[in-house]
């Protein structure tokens, strides 16, 4: 029986992305992805209109003259639908970012599409938080790790490097995220299984380690990677915790990196996670790691009563 055309297209895309990552690694490509605001400021400079090298093409998402890219790779990316025409130039529909020893593919700038696969400063902080936690207390061999809302797969890849002998499951509501996360994991030497869906509902049995880096800003456009829902943007984080914590095995941990709006000195997310941990017989470690981010959001009506937005980490552990 012939395979569906969509499956064949996915295979071509995966093969092209693997080739791209290998090509860039051979050339010691390195690009650290900034915030969208910083990205826009850099591109606003007069000398950043067209690409001059690989970092401009696959980091800054600039249009490039076809001869600037290896012809074989260019044809492969084009046939997989990963290049778009911009007049006489081409533009990549993906970016490639450096994360430790790895290169991760994600959506090109700007990430305006509702189903864009985002990677940026929060991804780096999330990976660092996971690495520090797992160096402090490594996960046992054979444990089951679930990365909820995996996006480009940064959290699971960071965890796998610390604890290679674990079963890894990636979940996301975005099929494009799972496609890119699968490529990124394989390129990093990480064996992972993917589950399309929300939370951990599609995974049977107890869970040893659950990772979550949910969005935490109210997004009027409703983009899945950015909109954190109610509680001034902490609603998705709380929903993930309520879904995952009851499923933790003995000694299991839920690792959360997100943001929380502070209203009149109070942190609603912290209070709710404290109550959840107590109800489930778990311990909570909660830390505010940056007191003030996305200050421009305070000018919008949705944040009229908010003093600041803090970056936080939480570890909920079953005794």
């Amino acid at each position: 029986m012939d395979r569906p055309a969509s499956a064949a297209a996915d295979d071509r895309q995966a093969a092209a992305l693997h080739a791209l990552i290998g090509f860039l690694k051979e050339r010691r490509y390195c690009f650290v992805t900034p915030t969208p605001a910083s990205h826009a400021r850099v591109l606003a400079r007069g000398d950043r209109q067209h690409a001059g090298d690989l970092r401009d093409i696959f980091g800054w998402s600039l249009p490039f003259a076809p001869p600037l890219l290896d012809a074989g790779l260019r044809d492969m990316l084009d046939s997989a639908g990963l290049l778009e025409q911009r007049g006489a130039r081409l533009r990549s529909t993906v970016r490639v970012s450096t994360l430790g020893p790895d290169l991760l593919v994600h959506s090109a700038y700007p990430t305006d599409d509702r189903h864009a696969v985002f990677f940026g400063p929060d991804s780096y902080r999330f990976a660092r938080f996971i690495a520090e936690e797992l160096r402090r207390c490594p996960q046992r061999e054979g444990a089951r790790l679930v990365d909820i809302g995996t996006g480009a797969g940064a959290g699971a890849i960071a965890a796998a490097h610390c604890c290679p002998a674990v079963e890894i499951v990636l979940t996301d509501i975005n099929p494009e995220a799972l496609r890119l996360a699968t490529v990124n994991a394989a390129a990093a030497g990480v064996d992972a299984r993917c589950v399309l869906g929300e939370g951990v509902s599609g995974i049977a049995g107890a869970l040893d380690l659950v990772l979550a880096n949910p969005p935490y800003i109210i997004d009027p456009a409703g983009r899945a990677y950015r909109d954190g829902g109610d509680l001034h943007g902490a609603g998705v984080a709380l929903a993930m915790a309520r879904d995952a914590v009851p499923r933790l095995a003995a000694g299991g941990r839920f690792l959360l990196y997100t943001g929380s709006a502070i209203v009149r000195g109070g942190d609603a997310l912290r209070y709710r996670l404290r109550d959840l941990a107590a109800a489930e017989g778990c311990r909570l470690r909660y830390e505010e790691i940056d007191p003030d981010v996305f200050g421009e959001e305070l000018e919008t009506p949705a944040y009229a009563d908010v003093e600041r937005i803090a970056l936080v980490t939480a570890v909920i552990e079953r005794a």
Side-chain angles (χ1 to χ4, degrees):
M1 181 182 295
D2 292 337
R3 300 178 70 227
S6 59
D10 287 349
D11 288 347
R12 283 197 302 273
Q13 186 179 97
L17 291 173
H18 280 295
L20 172 60
I21 291 173
F23 176 87
L24 294 177
K25 281 185 175 180
E26 287 178 359
R27 284 149 184 81
R28 298 185 179 181
Y29 171 94
C30 181
F31 185 81
V32 174
T33 300
T35 64
S38 291
H39 198 127
R41 291 184 179 105
V42 171
L43 295 194
R45 298 168 182 168
D47 61 343
R48 293 298 184 111
Q49 302 304 309
H50 302 116
D53 58 21
L54 292 173
R55 294 180 77 252
D56 287 344
I57 297 173
F58 297 110
W60 293 111
S61 296
L62 290 173
F64 65 96
L68 193 59
L69 186 60
D70 174 83
L73 178 63
R74 186 181 69 232
D75 291 344
M76 197 172 188
L77 294 173
D78 191 30
S79 66
L82 296 169
L83 297 178
E84 59 186 18
Q85 199 75 36
R86 290 292 179 92
R89 300 178 186 271
L90 299 171
R91 183 176 180 272
S92 172
T93 63
V94 296
R95 270 184 293 180
V96 183
S97 294
T98 305
L99 180 66
D102 303 308
L103 295 179
L104 274 66
V105 180
H106 53 103
S107 296
Y109 173 89
T111 48
D112 292 332
D113 187 82
R114 287 176 59 88
H115 302 294
V117 181
F118 186 76
F119 183 99
D122 280 326
S123 308
Y124 293 105
R125 298 185 191 104
F126 183 44
R128 186 181 306 116
F129 163 54
I130 291 168
E132 290 173 352
E133 175 66 19
L134 294 183
R135 279 195 292 264
R136 186 190 68 82
C137 184
Q139 200 64 41
R140 63 173 178 80
E141 184 175 339
R144 177 182 291 176
L145 180 158
V146 180
D147 187 5
I148 306 176
T150 189
I157 291 169
H161 287 329
C162 296
C163 305
V166 298
E167 174 194 353
I168 295 177
V169 183
L170 311 177
T171 80
D172 208 292
I173 59 174
N174 182 359
E176 179 63 13
L178 291 181
R179 281 193 288 270
L180 296 186
T182 299
V183 168
N184 291 333
V190 174
D191 185 23
R193 175 168 65 93
C194 291
V195 175
L196 180 64
E198 218 169 356
V200 296
S201 59
I203 304 164
L207 309 174
D208 299 296
L209 182 64
V210 181
L211 313 176
N213 174 20
Y216 52 86
I217 297 296
I218 298 173
D219 182 29
R223 289 167 290 183
Y225 76 85
R226 183 174 169 83
D227 189 7
D230 58 6
L231 280 180
H232 295 100
V236 172
L238 183 59
M240 287 181 173
R242 286 173 171 167
D243 189 31
V245 171
R247 298 279 304 279
L248 292 177
R253 285 174 288 177
F254 174 69
L255 272 57
L256 172 68
Y257 166 92
T258 191
S260 185
I262 309 302
V263 179
R264 299 186 64 83
D267 183 343
L269 178 62
R270 180 173 195 157
Y271 304 148
R272 284 164 172 77
L273 291 179
R274 178 196 61 196
D275 293 345
L276 173 64
E280 290 292 331
C282 296
R283 293 187 293 261
L284 169 67
R285 284 186 279 121
Y286 190 97
E287 183 178 0
E288 190 175 293
I289 62 172
D290 193 324
D292 186 12
V293 296
F294 289 105
E296 66 275 12
E297 296 294 329
L298 304 188
E299 299 174 4
T300 66
Y303 287 89
D305 57 343
V306 173
E307 297 176 351
R308 56 190 176 87
I309 302 170
L311 292 181
V312 301
T313 61
V315 179
I316 299 179
E317 183 174 11
R318 190 173 296 285

